[in-house]
mmCIF file of all heavy atoms in Angstrom:
data_model
loop_
_atom_site.group_PDB
_atom_site.id
_atom_site.type_symbol
_atom_site.label_atom_id
_atom_site.label_comp_id
_atom_site.label_asym_id
_atom_site.label_seq_id
_atom_site.Cartn_x
_atom_site.Cartn_y
_atom_site.Cartn_z
ATOM 1 N N ALA J 9 -1.079 -7.820 -16.849
ATOM 2 C CA ALA J 9 -2.256 -8.219 -16.046
ATOM 3 C C ALA J 9 -3.413 -7.213 -16.187
ATOM 4 O O ALA J 9 -4.571 -7.620 -16.205
ATOM 5 C CB ALA J 9 -1.798 -8.224 -14.613
ATOM 6 N N ILE J 10 -3.107 -5.927 -16.257
ATOM 7 C CA ILE J 10 -4.219 -4.933 -16.318
ATOM 8 C C ILE J 10 -4.837 -4.998 -17.625
ATOM 9 O O ILE J 10 -6.182 -4.944 -17.677
ATOM 10 C CB ILE J 10 -3.591 -3.521 -16.020
ATOM 11 C CG1 ILE J 10 -3.088 -3.367 -14.565
ATOM 12 C CG2 ILE J 10 -4.665 -2.430 -16.414
ATOM 13 C CD1 ILE J 10 -2.229 -2.178 -14.368
ATOM 14 N N ALA J 11 -4.053 -5.292 -18.660
ATOM 15 C CA ALA J 11 -4.775 -5.265 -19.910
ATOM 16 C C ALA J 11 -5.625 -6.581 -20.085
ATOM 17 O O ALA J 11 -6.682 -6.575 -20.751
ATOM 18 C CB ALA J 11 -3.605 -5.332 -21.133
ATOM 19 N N ALA J 12 -5.111 -7.615 -19.527
ATOM 20 C CA ALA J 12 -5.958 -8.858 -19.560
ATOM 21 C C ALA J 12 -7.260 -8.804 -18.799
ATOM 22 O O ALA J 12 -8.247 -9.476 -19.204
ATOM 23 C CB ALA J 12 -5.108 -10.059 -18.947
ATOM 24 N N LEU J 13 -7.341 -7.805 -17.798
ATOM 25 C CA LEU J 13 -8.648 -7.673 -17.057
ATOM 26 C C LEU J 13 -9.460 -6.638 -17.793
ATOM 27 O O LEU J 13 -10.596 -6.411 -17.259
ATOM 28 C CB LEU J 13 -8.244 -7.214 -15.585
ATOM 29 C CG LEU J 13 -7.486 -8.340 -14.810
ATOM 30 C CD1 LEU J 13 -7.156 -7.734 -13.489
ATOM 31 C CD2 LEU J 13 -8.370 -9.553 -14.610
ATOM 32 N N GLY J 14 -9.150 -5.922 -18.869
ATOM 33 C CA GLY J 14 -9.938 -5.054 -19.526
ATOM 34 C C GLY J 14 -9.721 -3.682 -18.984
ATOM 35 O O GLY J 14 -10.533 -2.824 -19.337
ATOM 36 N N LEU J 15 -8.669 -3.364 -18.200
ATOM 37 C CA LEU J 15 -8.577 -1.974 -17.784
ATOM 38 C C LEU J 15 -7.613 -1.265 -18.581
ATOM 39 O O LEU J 15 -6.900 -1.895 -19.358
ATOM 40 C CB LEU J 15 -7.990 -2.015 -16.345
ATOM 41 C CG LEU J 15 -9.024 -2.585 -15.259
ATOM 42 C CD1 LEU J 15 -8.162 -2.788 -13.878
ATOM 43 C CD2 LEU J 15 -10.104 -1.709 -15.007
ATOM 44 N N ASP J 16 -7.626 0.107 -18.508
ATOM 45 C CA ASP J 16 -6.632 0.922 -19.285
ATOM 46 C C ASP J 16 -5.352 1.062 -18.336
ATOM 47 O O ASP J 16 -5.414 1.787 -17.335
ATOM 48 C CB ASP J 16 -7.302 2.229 -19.547
ATOM 49 C CG ASP J 16 -6.485 3.034 -20.470
ATOM 50 O OD1 ASP J 16 -5.346 2.806 -20.660
ATOM 51 O OD2 ASP J 16 -7.112 3.967 -21.060
ATOM 52 N N PRO J 17 -4.236 0.657 -18.807
ATOM 53 C CA PRO J 17 -2.963 0.815 -18.101
ATOM 54 C C PRO J 17 -2.576 2.225 -17.754
ATOM 55 O O PRO J 17 -1.834 2.468 -16.896
ATOM 56 C CB PRO J 17 -1.946 0.074 -18.769
ATOM 57 C CG PRO J 17 -2.660 -0.915 -19.794
ATOM 58 C CD PRO J 17 -3.973 -0.140 -20.031
ATOM 59 N N GLY J 18 -3.028 3.199 -18.586
ATOM 60 C CA GLY J 18 -2.649 4.498 -18.577
ATOM 61 C C GLY J 18 -3.473 5.353 -17.490
ATOM 62 O O GLY J 18 -2.997 6.424 -17.141
ATOM 63 N N LEU J 19 -4.560 4.933 -17.078
ATOM 64 C CA LEU J 19 -5.454 5.682 -16.204
ATOM 65 C C LEU J 19 -5.160 5.320 -14.701
ATOM 66 O O LEU J 19 -5.682 4.358 -14.316
ATOM 67 C CB LEU J 19 -6.866 5.490 -16.543
ATOM 68 C CG LEU J 19 -7.410 6.084 -17.892
ATOM 69 C CD1 LEU J 19 -8.781 5.751 -18.065
ATOM 70 C CD2 LEU J 19 -7.038 7.567 -17.935
ATOM 71 N N GLY J 20 -4.231 6.044 -14.089
ATOM 72 C CA GLY J 20 -3.796 5.607 -12.728
ATOM 73 C C GLY J 20 -4.612 6.195 -11.671
ATOM 74 O O GLY J 20 -5.442 7.090 -11.953
ATOM 75 N N VAL J 21 -4.458 5.687 -10.494
ATOM 76 C CA VAL J 21 -5.156 6.263 -9.312
ATOM 77 C C VAL J 21 -4.236 7.005 -8.361
ATOM 78 O O VAL J 21 -4.600 7.942 -7.638
ATOM 79 C CB VAL J 21 -5.930 5.275 -8.512
ATOM 80 C CG1 VAL J 21 -7.074 4.637 -9.383
ATOM 81 C CG2 VAL J 21 -4.931 4.160 -8.021
ATOM 82 N N LEU J 22 -2.889 6.600 -8.305
ATOM 83 C CA LEU J 22 -2.019 7.175 -7.432
ATOM 84 C C LEU J 22 -0.996 8.018 -8.197
ATOM 85 O O LEU J 22 -0.639 9.124 -7.914
ATOM 86 C CB LEU J 22 -1.254 6.132 -6.523
ATOM 87 C CG LEU J 22 -0.149 6.759 -5.600
ATOM 88 C CD1 LEU J 22 -0.807 7.573 -4.528
ATOM 89 C CD2 LEU J 22 0.480 5.435 -4.948
ATOM 90 N N HIS J 23 -0.267 7.386 -9.299
ATOM 91 C CA HIS J 23 0.687 8.089 -10.109
ATOM 92 C C HIS J 23 -0.053 9.099 -10.920
ATOM 93 O O HIS J 23 -1.190 8.819 -11.548
ATOM 94 C CB HIS J 23 1.479 7.097 -10.786
ATOM 95 C CG HIS J 23 2.333 6.239 -9.983
ATOM 96 N ND1 HIS J 23 1.966 5.248 -9.160
ATOM 97 C CD2 HIS J 23 3.799 6.429 -9.854
ATOM 98 C CE1 HIS J 23 3.054 4.675 -8.484
ATOM 99 N NE2 HIS J 23 4.135 5.432 -8.831
ATOM 100 N N VAL J 24 0.626 10.143 -11.232
ATOM 101 C CA VAL J 24 0.135 11.179 -12.138
ATOM 102 C C VAL J 24 0.021 10.670 -13.584
ATOM 103 O O VAL J 24 1.147 10.015 -14.044
ATOM 104 C CB VAL J 24 0.921 12.432 -12.010
ATOM 105 C CG1 VAL J 24 0.411 13.593 -12.935
ATOM 106 C CG2 VAL J 24 0.879 13.020 -10.608
ATOM 107 N N ASP J 25 -0.901 10.865 -14.309
ATOM 108 C CA ASP J 25 -1.014 10.496 -15.770
ATOM 109 C C ASP J 25 0.003 11.279 -16.635
ATOM 110 O O ASP J 25 -0.019 12.563 -16.606
ATOM 111 C CB ASP J 25 -2.396 10.674 -16.345
ATOM 112 C CG ASP J 25 -3.416 9.857 -15.569
ATOM 113 O OD1 ASP J 25 -3.055 8.842 -14.917
ATOM 114 O OD2 ASP J 25 -4.584 10.234 -15.555
ATOM 115 N N THR J 26 0.862 10.547 -17.216
ATOM 116 C CA THR J 26 1.776 11.087 -18.147
ATOM 117 C C THR J 26 1.900 10.290 -19.424
ATOM 118 O O THR J 26 1.520 9.081 -19.417
ATOM 119 C CB THR J 26 3.271 11.171 -17.516
ATOM 120 O OG1 THR J 26 3.707 9.850 -17.375
ATOM 121 C CG2 THR J 26 3.303 11.955 -16.186
ATOM 122 N N PRO J 27 2.222 10.936 -20.543
ATOM 123 C CA PRO J 27 2.263 10.228 -21.856
ATOM 124 C C PRO J 27 3.472 9.239 -21.885
ATOM 125 O O PRO J 27 3.546 8.411 -22.876
ATOM 126 C CB PRO J 27 2.352 11.269 -22.945
ATOM 127 C CG PRO J 27 3.082 12.396 -22.146
ATOM 128 C CD PRO J 27 2.555 12.280 -20.768
ATOM 129 N N THR J 28 4.318 9.109 -20.981
ATOM 130 C CA THR J 28 5.557 8.405 -21.001
ATOM 131 C C THR J 28 5.455 7.122 -20.178
ATOM 132 O O THR J 28 6.549 6.372 -20.097
ATOM 133 C CB THR J 28 6.856 9.187 -20.614
ATOM 134 O OG1 THR J 28 6.685 9.701 -19.297
ATOM 135 C CG2 THR J 28 6.999 10.336 -21.576
ATOM 136 N N ARG J 29 4.365 6.896 -19.441
ATOM 137 C CA ARG J 29 4.354 5.644 -18.661
ATOM 138 C C ARG J 29 2.875 5.207 -18.506
ATOM 139 O O ARG J 29 1.875 6.028 -18.720
ATOM 140 C CB ARG J 29 4.981 5.829 -17.335
ATOM 141 C CG ARG J 29 4.106 6.800 -16.312
ATOM 142 C CD ARG J 29 4.711 7.099 -14.970
ATOM 143 N NE ARG J 29 3.903 7.980 -14.285
ATOM 144 C CZ ARG J 29 4.390 8.616 -13.216
ATOM 145 N NH1 ARG J 29 5.637 8.505 -12.876
ATOM 146 N NH2 ARG J 29 3.635 9.467 -12.472
ATOM 147 N N ASP J 30 2.682 3.999 -18.063
ATOM 148 C CA ASP J 30 1.366 3.527 -17.732
ATOM 149 C C ASP J 30 1.098 3.777 -16.300
ATOM 150 O O ASP J 30 1.701 2.844 -15.441
ATOM 151 C CB ASP J 30 1.083 2.016 -18.151
ATOM 152 C CG ASP J 30 1.142 1.906 -19.710
ATOM 153 O OD1 ASP J 30 0.854 2.911 -20.437
ATOM 154 O OD2 ASP J 30 1.632 0.965 -20.225
ATOM 155 N N SER J 31 0.350 4.580 -15.753
ATOM 156 C CA SER J 31 0.270 4.997 -14.458
ATOM 157 C C SER J 31 -0.396 3.842 -13.642
ATOM 158 O O SER J 31 0.071 3.652 -12.432
ATOM 159 C CB SER J 31 -0.523 6.278 -14.230
ATOM 160 O OG SER J 31 0.139 7.378 -14.921
ATOM 161 N N LEU J 32 -1.444 3.357 -14.099
ATOM 162 C CA LEU J 32 -2.075 2.188 -13.390
ATOM 163 C C LEU J 32 -1.170 1.020 -13.170
ATOM 164 O O LEU J 32 -1.181 0.383 -12.115
ATOM 165 C CB LEU J 32 -3.375 1.771 -14.045
ATOM 166 C CG LEU J 32 -4.244 0.852 -13.337
ATOM 167 C CD1 LEU J 32 -4.552 1.351 -11.862
ATOM 168 C CD2 LEU J 32 -5.446 0.272 -14.107
ATOM 169 N N ALA J 33 -0.371 0.713 -14.102
ATOM 170 C CA ALA J 33 0.679 -0.341 -14.057
ATOM 171 C C ALA J 33 1.676 -0.001 -12.769
ATOM 172 O O ALA J 33 1.945 -0.892 -12.034
ATOM 173 C CB ALA J 33 1.464 -0.636 -15.275
ATOM 174 N N CYS J 34 1.994 1.191 -12.783
ATOM 175 C CA CYS J 34 2.925 1.640 -11.626
ATOM 176 C C CYS J 34 2.177 1.569 -10.202
ATOM 177 O O CYS J 34 2.757 1.265 -9.216
ATOM 178 C CB CYS J 34 3.402 3.134 -11.904
ATOM 179 S SG CYS J 34 4.497 3.229 -13.282
ATOM 180 N N ASP J 35 0.890 1.749 -10.315
ATOM 181 C CA ASP J 35 0.098 1.748 -9.068
ATOM 182 C C ASP J 35 0.037 0.275 -8.606
ATOM 183 O O ASP J 35 0.182 -0.080 -7.434
ATOM 184 C CB ASP J 35 -1.362 2.236 -9.312
ATOM 185 C CG ASP J 35 -1.303 3.719 -9.519
ATOM 186 O OD1 ASP J 35 -0.281 4.316 -9.174
ATOM 187 O OD2 ASP J 35 -2.404 4.182 -10.095
ATOM 188 N N VAL J 36 -0.332 -0.600 -9.556
ATOM 189 C CA VAL J 36 -0.550 -2.017 -9.255
ATOM 190 C C VAL J 36 0.722 -2.764 -8.656
ATOM 191 O O VAL J 36 0.707 -3.598 -7.816
ATOM 192 C CB VAL J 36 -1.196 -2.831 -10.461
ATOM 193 C CG1 VAL J 36 -1.244 -4.285 -10.142
ATOM 194 C CG2 VAL J 36 -2.610 -2.260 -10.616
ATOM 195 N N MET J 37 1.833 -2.334 -9.177
ATOM 196 C CA MET J 37 3.142 -2.866 -8.760
ATOM 197 C C MET J 37 3.639 -2.489 -7.440
ATOM 198 O O MET J 37 4.548 -3.057 -6.898
ATOM 199 C CB MET J 37 4.222 -2.608 -9.739
ATOM 200 C CG MET J 37 4.509 -1.230 -10.037
ATOM 201 S SD MET J 37 5.721 -0.972 -11.299
ATOM 202 C CE MET J 37 7.237 -1.385 -10.545
ATOM 203 N N GLU J 38 2.997 -1.473 -6.773
ATOM 204 C CA GLU J 38 3.611 -0.920 -5.542
ATOM 205 C C GLU J 38 3.505 -2.013 -4.361
ATOM 206 O O GLU J 38 4.507 -2.033 -3.785
ATOM 207 C CB GLU J 38 2.612 0.331 -5.037
ATOM 208 C CG GLU J 38 2.870 1.559 -5.974
ATOM 209 C CD GLU J 38 4.328 2.169 -5.724
ATOM 210 O OE1 GLU J 38 4.887 1.913 -4.743
ATOM 211 O OE2 GLU J 38 4.779 2.781 -6.687
ATOM 212 N N PRO J 39 2.504 -2.748 -4.152
ATOM 213 C CA PRO J 39 2.582 -3.710 -3.164
ATOM 214 C C PRO J 39 3.568 -4.917 -3.275
ATOM 215 O O PRO J 39 4.002 -5.538 -2.330
ATOM 216 C CB PRO J 39 1.058 -4.327 -3.063
ATOM 217 C CG PRO J 39 0.313 -3.360 -3.723
ATOM 218 C CD PRO J 39 1.157 -2.686 -4.786
ATOM 219 N N ILE J 40 4.052 -4.944 -4.648
ATOM 220 C CA ILE J 40 4.976 -6.074 -4.806
ATOM 221 C C ILE J 40 6.369 -5.602 -4.714
ATOM 222 O O ILE J 40 7.301 -6.435 -4.821
ATOM 223 C CB ILE J 40 4.652 -6.748 -6.325
ATOM 224 C CG1 ILE J 40 3.125 -6.942 -6.375
ATOM 225 C CG2 ILE J 40 5.350 -8.066 -6.475
ATOM 226 C CD1 ILE J 40 2.555 -7.893 -5.336
ATOM 227 N N ARG J 41 6.555 -4.340 -4.781
ATOM 228 C CA ARG J 41 7.912 -3.840 -4.630
ATOM 229 C C ARG J 41 8.819 -4.434 -3.558
ATOM 230 O O ARG J 41 10.052 -4.704 -3.653
ATOM 231 C CB ARG J 41 7.905 -2.371 -4.569
ATOM 232 C CG ARG J 41 7.633 -1.625 -5.888
ATOM 233 C CD ARG J 41 7.546 -0.076 -5.765
ATOM 234 N NE ARG J 41 7.271 0.585 -6.929
ATOM 235 C CZ ARG J 41 8.243 1.061 -7.796
ATOM 236 N NH1 ARG J 41 9.436 0.846 -7.640
ATOM 237 N NH2 ARG J 41 7.783 1.810 -8.921
ATOM 238 N N PRO J 42 8.166 -4.428 -2.256
ATOM 239 C CA PRO J 42 8.974 -5.084 -1.224
ATOM 240 C C PRO J 42 9.417 -6.486 -1.471
ATOM 241 O O PRO J 42 10.477 -7.001 -1.029
ATOM 242 C CB PRO J 42 8.004 -5.047 0.004
ATOM 243 C CG PRO J 42 7.125 -3.855 -0.283
ATOM 244 C CD PRO J 42 6.975 -3.980 -1.739
ATOM 245 N N GLU J 43 8.761 -7.375 -2.243
ATOM 246 C CA GLU J 43 9.088 -8.666 -2.604
ATOM 247 C C GLU J 43 10.348 -8.617 -3.550
ATOM 248 O O GLU J 43 11.199 -9.442 -3.432
ATOM 249 C CB GLU J 43 7.988 -9.357 -3.234
ATOM 250 C CG GLU J 43 6.740 -9.550 -2.375
ATOM 251 C CD GLU J 43 5.620 -10.368 -3.029
ATOM 252 O OE1 GLU J 43 5.999 -11.248 -3.876
ATOM 253 O OE2 GLU J 43 4.404 -10.324 -2.618
ATOM 254 N N VAL J 44 10.438 -7.613 -4.472
ATOM 255 C CA VAL J 44 11.540 -7.435 -5.311
ATOM 256 C C VAL J 44 12.791 -7.044 -4.405
ATOM 257 O O VAL J 44 13.804 -7.586 -4.608
ATOM 258 C CB VAL J 44 11.212 -6.461 -6.397
ATOM 259 C CG1 VAL J 44 12.476 -6.151 -7.223
ATOM 260 C CG2 VAL J 44 10.101 -6.884 -7.316
ATOM 261 N N ASP J 45 12.430 -6.175 -3.566
ATOM 262 C CA ASP J 45 13.494 -5.682 -2.682
ATOM 263 C C ASP J 45 14.142 -6.825 -1.831
ATOM 264 O O ASP J 45 15.305 -6.900 -1.599
ATOM 265 C CB ASP J 45 13.031 -4.598 -1.652
ATOM 266 C CG ASP J 45 12.541 -3.354 -2.459
ATOM 267 O OD1 ASP J 45 12.809 -3.274 -3.692
ATOM 268 O OD2 ASP J 45 11.713 -2.590 -1.806
#
């Protein structure tokens, strides 16, 4: 979803930027975690 909107999945706002994950993807999925739970 992030890539389709033209954003960089690796530049997060909440999660720390690391070379092993896409931080912005982890940020965006936070509100949906309770639905998975």
Side-chain angles (χ1 to χ4, degrees):
I10 292 169
L13 295 175
L15 295 171
D16 188 342
L19 295 178
V21 295
L22 180 64
H23 289 79
V24 178
D25 296 336
T26 63
T28 59
R29 72 181 177 199
D30 291 332
S31 299
L32 187 60
C34 296
D35 295 340
V36 170
M37 62 184 281
E38 290 294 333
I40 314 301
R41 284 180 182 266
E43 297 185 25
V44 177
D45 301 341

